[in-house]
Amino acid sequence: AQSVTQPDIHITVSEGASLELRCNYSYGATPYLFWYVQSPGQGLQLLLKYFSGDTLVQGIKGFEAEFKRSQSSFNLRKPSVHWSDAAEYFCAVGYTGTASKLTFGTGTRLQVTL
Amino acid sequence: EAGVTQSPTHLIKTRGQQATLRCSPISGHTSVYWYQQALGLGLQFLLWYDEGEERNRGNFPPRFSGRQFPNYSSELNVNALELEDSALYLCASRRIGSGGATDTQYFGPGTRLTVL
């Protein structure tokens, strides 16, 4: 069964500092990988996705993520964090076909200090 | 292009009642997914509908049910509400295709269900 691990429950960074959120997955085939962001009381907004090809993917709001098959990882990065980036971030792995669904990690809450 | 919409925004029910939540997918999307985000339990897959049929179901009791209408909108029904059903219910839609961009789920803002 597929699973996603986000080892960091809560991260605090200073505005302007770099950010890396970790995500590890367990899946028997080449995964479809996603990062979503959720502001308090809101739905999920897609930041970026990986299906195939270039292992470094660019997303919205200056985020990027790198797929590393050897490490089963899909870490999210941003070179300079803004106060508005404070939110909860979810990594997810997707099935295709008849079992289509997303399996989410437990999320990482990002706090940004000024 | 309008995104996924959900109604109502908030819903307050008492234990034992029934709740009905609604979702309208993005135009051109035929698949609708429901997820539950309960405190301490994370985001859990509930149901998947495509072309009016239930295609997959998560590990939830039968009192969680739903349907998809010919216009691809969807309803989630929760019968015999229990306190632990209090959660944010998220709907997502997807355009079925051969993979790639069509395998992306786009989420609505959610319905906050509170069971008293």
Side-chain angles (χ1 to χ4, degrees):
Chain A
Q2 60 186 5
S3 65
V4 180
T5 301
Q6 292 181 249
D8 304 306
I9 297 172
H10 187 207
I11 283 182
T12 300
V13 299
S14 300
E15 189 176 39
S18 65
L19 172 70
E20 183 169 27
L21 302 182
R22 296 183 290 166
C23 173
N24 292 94
Y25 67 90
S26 172
Y27 186 55
T30 299
Y32 288 8
L33 293 162
F34 305 84
W35 276 99
Y36 288 89
V37 61
Q38 185 179 37
S39 297
Q42 302 298 312
L44 301 176
Q45 182 182 22
L46 178 69
L47 282 177
L48 47 77
K49 58 197 176 189
Y50 172 79
F51 294 140
S52 65
D54 192 349
T55 56
L56 184 63
V57 294
Q58 302 296 321
I60 62 171
K61 303 184 179 187
F63 286 93
E64 67 178 25
E66 186 171 12
F67 171 61
K68 293 185 177 180
R69 184 187 303 276
S70 61
Q71 297 176 22
S72 298
S73 69
F74 187 58
N75 293 348
L76 182 72
R77 300 193 294 249
K78 186 170 184 178
S80 178
V81 168
H82 188 262
W83 64 265
S84 60
D85 293 325
E88 189 147 22
Y89 291 79
F90 292 92
C91 180
V93 61
Y95 268 134
T96 59
T98 57
S100 176
K101 64 176 183 179
L102 289 175
T103 297
F104 287 88
T106 50
T108 297
R109 181 163 297 281
L110 173 65
Q111 184 177 356
V112 180
T113 58
L114 301 176
Chain B
E1 180 182 87
V4 177
T5 59
Q6 292 186 244
S7 63
T9 304
H10 294 89
L11 189 57
I12 300 175
K13 295 285 186 178
T14 56
R15 199 169 52 182
Q17 285 188 313
Q18 178 195 33
T20 298
L21 289 64
R22 297 179 177 83
C23 172
S24 291
I26 293 170
S27 177
H29 289 196
T30 62
S31 265
V32 170
Y33 300 77
W34 288 95
Y35 292 85
Q36 183 197 63
Q37 188 176 25
L39 200 61
L41 295 178
L43 278 150
Q44 305 211 31
F45 167 72
L46 254 170
L47 289 159
W48 170 35
Y49 291 95
D50 182 62
E51 296 286 358
E53 300 285 333
E54 182 181 304
R55 303 294 187 182
N56 195 12
R57 182 181 185 85
N59 188 26
F60 282 84
R63 56 190 187 83
F64 286 84
S65 65
R67 53 180 172 166
Q68 187 178 33
F69 299 98
N71 67 353
Y72 303 115
S73 66
S74 175
E75 264 182 12
L76 173 69
N77 294 294
V78 188
N79 293 319
L81 284 165
E82 300 179 2
L83 297 178
E84 54 263 34
D85 296 333
S86 294
L88 181 67
Y89 289 84
L90 294 167
C91 171
S93 74
R94 179 169 76 105
R95 179 169 60 88
I96 295 294
S98 58
T102 62
D103 284 294
T104 301
Q105 294 182 27
Y106 296 91
F107 285 79
T111 293
R112 172 74 61 186
L113 173 64
T114 302
V115 182
L116 302 176

